[in-house]
Amino acid sequence: MEQLLGGRRPRLVSTLGLGRRSWEVTLDEERGRLAWRDPRPPRRGGENCFVPTSEIIAVEETELNKKQRNTGKWQKMAKPHAFTVYYVKKARNHRWRCSDVTFWCVDEHLCNQWIQALKELLEMQKSRPKQLLVYINPYGGKRQGKRIYEQKVAPLFSLASISTDVVVTEHANHAKDNLFEVNINKYDGVVCVGGDGMFSEVMHGLIGRMQKDSGIDQNNPKAPLVQCNIRIGIIPAGSTDCICYSTVGISDPVTSALHIIVGDCQPLDVSSIHHNNTFLKYYVSLLGYGFYGDILKDSEKKRWMGPIRYDYSGFKTFLSHHYYEGTISFQPAKHTRGSPRDKDRCRTGCYICKRSEQQLAEQQKESGLKHEDEEWKVIKGKFLAINAVNMSCACPRSPKGLSPAAHLADGSADLILVRKCSRFDFLRYLVRHTNQDDQFDFSFVDVHRVKSFQFTSKLSEDNESNVTDIGKKRFGQFCRDHPVCCCNIANSTWNCDGETLDISAIEVRVHCQLMKLFARGIEENCKDEAAYSQSSVEQLL
């Protein structure tokens, strides 16, 4: 063990066997990486490899198999001692896999020294969970949740020495109700195995529990909610896994499990929905009225069709081409940088989200939030779709999502208004979600970055059942570009993170970084230098 100058943490350097060759192996605590290098002159590229210590999953003492020991020079040596390092190997398209490398040496003391040093380093990773509460939805998607967890996730948790309490849900809101009863403080995180609906249930239970314990009235739309410090992990196993795709970059159970194991943390904005000072729901991805609400309402009647019901209902809703009249009032999010039309995507270590986190801390030190004095803007019109998104809402079919520049944790939502247009123009708008063209570059599409908004349908206004009157003084100048028709058209349904909400007059507010996920945001699409040259190592063994 070398003690480096300048007070740097020590590093361990040894010559160890890897396969049938000797490699120089270095554990550098200061730089936070395990590296191995072939000391011989390079014949091919990729002979220098490293793994960040933050992405080491586990280390175990290993016995080399008999077939290896009985060949060649092994017979002339004393019994070798070996250890295996399990680590994250990054593949294409943000996919993670558990890989391993086994080092050996003849000196038992040296082998034990390496095992102890690596285990001590793993113990220093304080963000890693030790005890998890796991909820499995056995009915979601293709009913594969239990099998996915038992075959793909549980072995990884066991390898990483993570203890779990598993609850297989038996009915709707089982997880939500259970979270109000369990001793939540004994867990380092809550994991949900299922789709977006399962995540929503766990999220409502966890946020509700935190507000209840803190004496916060959720029915007050202006109440400052208490942040949840317990992270949620998502193991995708549902019909839709939009949240997982938008926060990790891929819908893959093993990748998500590895993000949980290494203790990643991604703050997440959550929006609350109220009606007449009554709390309705929270959402983190999409709140859609009109087109996406109608798709969901129709698809709920055809659950027997499985996931294909969304395609059928989508086509049927497109052909119907219904539009809805109403009034949107919103507060622009002036505290955030950028706009929905810029090219700044939310990625790992996003500077816009970090700046919002700092501003949130400053905001909490000040007395109260001055919502009443801030400007409101109002738009009246006929809309094919009204979508509010807290994230890009990317998915395999729409890699950019509904709003490519939306941020996960900047305290704002992108409000997308698609006004009445021809069926052909609306099709052009939908197609742009699947390519690289600007989907907001249409005269009938408006997008605004907001921190709160209200909506009242024309039918609700006529029935005098709109949201509490906020008065003309609170509004900014009315947009005269959207004349109101007097047609009395039935209301649509809100698509709230994949669940229907049948109240057309609502009030929505974004709560900055209210939750935390076991994720790190979408990483830039570059090949990692570490185990990522492991394929070259395997060729050399």
Side-chain angles (χ1 to χ4, degrees):
M1 181 81 73
E2 297 182 7
Q3 180 65 48
L4 303 179
L5 298 177
R8 290 179 61 190
R9 286 181 288 182
R11 68 178 186 179
L12 187 59
V13 184
S14 303
T15 299
L16 301 175
L18 174 55
R20 298 186 184 182
R21 290 164 51 180
S22 296
W23 292 67
E24 183 184 279
V25 186
T26 304
L27 178 60
D28 192 334
E29 294 187 29
E30 183 68 24
R31 300 178 68 180
R33 68 182 195 176
L34 171 69
W36 55 97
R37 181 178 68 87
D38 187 351
R40 300 189 304 178
R43 294 180 300 167
R44 286 180 264 182
E47 297 188 20
N48 298 326
C49 309
F50 77 87
V51 175
T53 54
S54 61
E55 294 176 4
I56 294 177
I57 300 168
V59 56
E60 290 182 344
E61 187 175 2
T62 312
E63 269 203 39
L64 294 171
N65 62 60
K66 293 182 180 180
K67 186 176 181 180
Q68 277 186 310
R69 293 205 308 261
N70 292 336
T71 59
K73 68 176 185 177
W74 290 99
Q75 295 177 334
K76 304 174 184 178
M77 300 172 59
K79 180 182 177 181
H81 300 273
F83 62 93
T84 299
V85 178
Y86 299 90
Y87 61 88
V88 171
K89 181 177 180 179
K90 297 180 181 177
R92 296 182 183 276
N93 301 322
H94 311 290
R95 190 181 302 273
W96 285 14
R97 285 293 175 261
C98 177
S99 191
D100 62 83
V101 57
T102 298
F103 300 104
W104 58 267
C105 60
V106 207
D107 187 344
E108 182 179 6
H109 173 73
L110 181 61
C111 181
N112 291 334
Q113 186 181 9
W114 270 94
I115 294 173
Q116 182 180 352
L118 285 166
K119 286 189 174 181
E120 287 176 356
L121 204 59
L122 292 181
E123 286 296 323
M124 292 169 60
Q125 309 286 336
K126 299 301 181 183
S127 65
R128 297 195 174 194
K130 302 293 183 185
Q131 181 83 22
L132 294 172
L133 176 59
V134 180
Y135 291 103
I136 301 175
N137 178 7
Y139 306 109
K142 297 180 180 178
R143 300 175 178 262
Q144 297 294 307
K146 196 166 182 291
R147 183 191 65 81
I148 288 173
Y149 178 78
E150 291 175 348
Q151 295 184 8
K152 297 185 177 182
V153 179
L156 290 173
F157 284 172
S158 176
L159 177 65
S161 301
I162 296 176
S163 301
T164 58
D165 290 336
V166 179
V167 178
V168 179
T169 59
E170 299 175 354
H171 52 80
N173 292 321
H174 184 169
K176 177 184 173 182
D177 296 340
N178 185 255
L179 279 166
F180 277 88
E181 301 171 356
V182 298
N183 178 13
I184 199 68
N185 296 320
K186 67 181 280 193
Y187 299 106
D188 302 310
V190 180
V191 175
C192 55
V193 183
D196 291 340
M198 186 61 182
F199 169 79
S200 178
E201 186 176 326
V202 169
M203 175 185 69
H204 278 82
L206 195 55
I207 295 178
R209 171 68 181 271
M210 296 298 293
Q211 309 320 308
K212 178 184 176 183
D213 291 350
S214 303
I216 302 295
D217 181 11
Q218 292 184 94
N219 288 318
N220 180 1
K222 295 177 176 58
L225 300 183
V226 176
Q227 287 180 292
C228 301
N229 292 321
I230 299 176
R231 289 166 288 177
I232 296 180
I234 308 173
I235 304 297
S239 301
T240 57
D241 301 300
C242 168
I243 299 167
C244 187
Y245 196 95
S246 296
T247 56
V248 175
I250 191 172
S251 178
D252 176 63
V254 172
T255 301
S256 295
L258 293 174
H259 277 285
I260 295 171
I261 289 171
V262 301
D264 279 339
C265 184
Q266 171 63 53
L268 193 66
D269 293 339
V270 179
S271 293
S272 59
I273 308 172
H274 289 78
H275 170 73
N276 288 344
N277 291 322
T278 300
F279 169 73
L280 300 177
K281 280 182 180 293
Y282 295 110
Y283 79 91
V284 296
S285 59
L286 168 68
L287 181 65
Y289 188 81
F291 182 70
Y292 289 104
D294 291 349
I295 288 176
L296 182 65
K297 185 175 182 178
D298 187 74
S299 68
E300 286 296 297
K301 304 171 186 176
K302 301 172 177 63
R303 298 189 70 90
W304 56 270
M305 295 177 65
I308 199 173
R309 68 185 183 273
Y310 297 113
D311 296 327
Y312 174 81
S313 296
F315 182 67
K316 178 181 175 183
T317 303
F318 171 76
L319 292 178
S320 67
H321 202 59
H322 288 156
Y323 66 89
Y324 302 91
E325 286 190 77
T327 302
I328 286 277
S329 54
F330 61 89
Q331 288 181 304
K334 297 179 179 179
H335 66 283
T336 61
R337 290 184 179 179
S339 75
R341 299 292 297 272
D342 62 30
K343 302 299 182 183
D344 291 329
R345 303 293 189 258
C346 189
R347 293 294 182 261
T348 301
C350 175
Y351 77 96
I352 291 178
C353 293
K354 284 185 177 179
R355 180 178 176 273
S356 297
E357 182 181 17
Q358 294 168 358
Q359 186 165 354
L360 178 66
E362 294 171 3
Q363 212 173 54
Q364 289 176 338
K365 293 179 182 178
E366 299 174 359
S367 56
L369 300 174
K370 301 178 182 178
H371 286 282
E372 300 298 326
D373 300 332
E374 296 182 13
E375 179 187 15
W376 286 73
K377 294 186 177 180
V378 176
I379 296 177
K380 291 186 176 184
K382 307 171 187 177
F383 305 101
L384 286 172
I386 298 172
N387 300 321
V389 297
N390 288 15
M391 57 180 65
S392 68
C393 293
C395 65
R397 291 190 177 187
S398 177
K400 293 191 306 177
L402 294 179
S403 183
H407 288 267
L408 295 172
D410 68 342
S412 72
D414 286 353
L415 181 62
I416 307 165
L417 307 178
V418 184
R419 297 192 304 276
K420 181 184 176 184
C421 63
S422 69
R423 188 179 282 106
F424 176 70
D425 280 343
F426 188 56
L427 177 62
R428 290 169 60 212
Y429 166 72
L430 294 177
V431 168
R432 287 202 179 180
H433 290 81
T434 65
N435 58 36
Q436 298 302 313
D437 295 332
D438 183 1
Q439 58 222 58
F440 302 134
D441 189 22
F442 292 104
S443 60
F444 55 88
V445 178
D446 291 329
V447 58
H448 308 272
R449 187 151 286 175
V450 305
K451 61 181 180 180
S452 61
F453 73 92
Q454 298 180 355
F455 172 78
T456 307
S457 71
K458 180 67 165 56
L459 187 60
S460 295
E461 289 175 342
D462 293 343
N463 294 336
E464 298 183 353
S465 59
N466 57 318
V467 177
T468 305
D469 184 19
I470 55 180
K472 292 183 179 179
K473 292 183 180 179
R474 291 178 54 183
F475 295 133
Q477 185 176 6
F478 276 78
C479 179
R480 298 177 181 177
D481 296 331
H482 316 300
V484 180
C485 174
C486 297
C487 299
N488 189 7
I489 300 176
N491 291 328
S492 178
T493 298
W494 288 99
N495 180 337
C496 180
D497 277 354
E499 296 182 1
T500 56
L501 188 61
D502 288 321
I503 295 179
S504 56
I506 62 169
E507 181 177 355
V508 178
R509 178 182 161 198
V510 183
H511 301 270
C512 185
Q513 303 186 9
L514 186 63
M515 290 199 54
K516 295 177 181 177
L517 298 183
F518 283 107
R520 63 175 60 173
I522 298 177
E523 295 182 293
E524 291 295 344
N525 208 2
C526 59
K527 197 113 174 181
D528 198 277
E529 302 168 16
Y532 323 13
S533 47
Q534 176 68 12
S535 57
S536 300
V537 175
E538 291 165 353
Q539 292 174 2
L540 294 170
L541 297 181

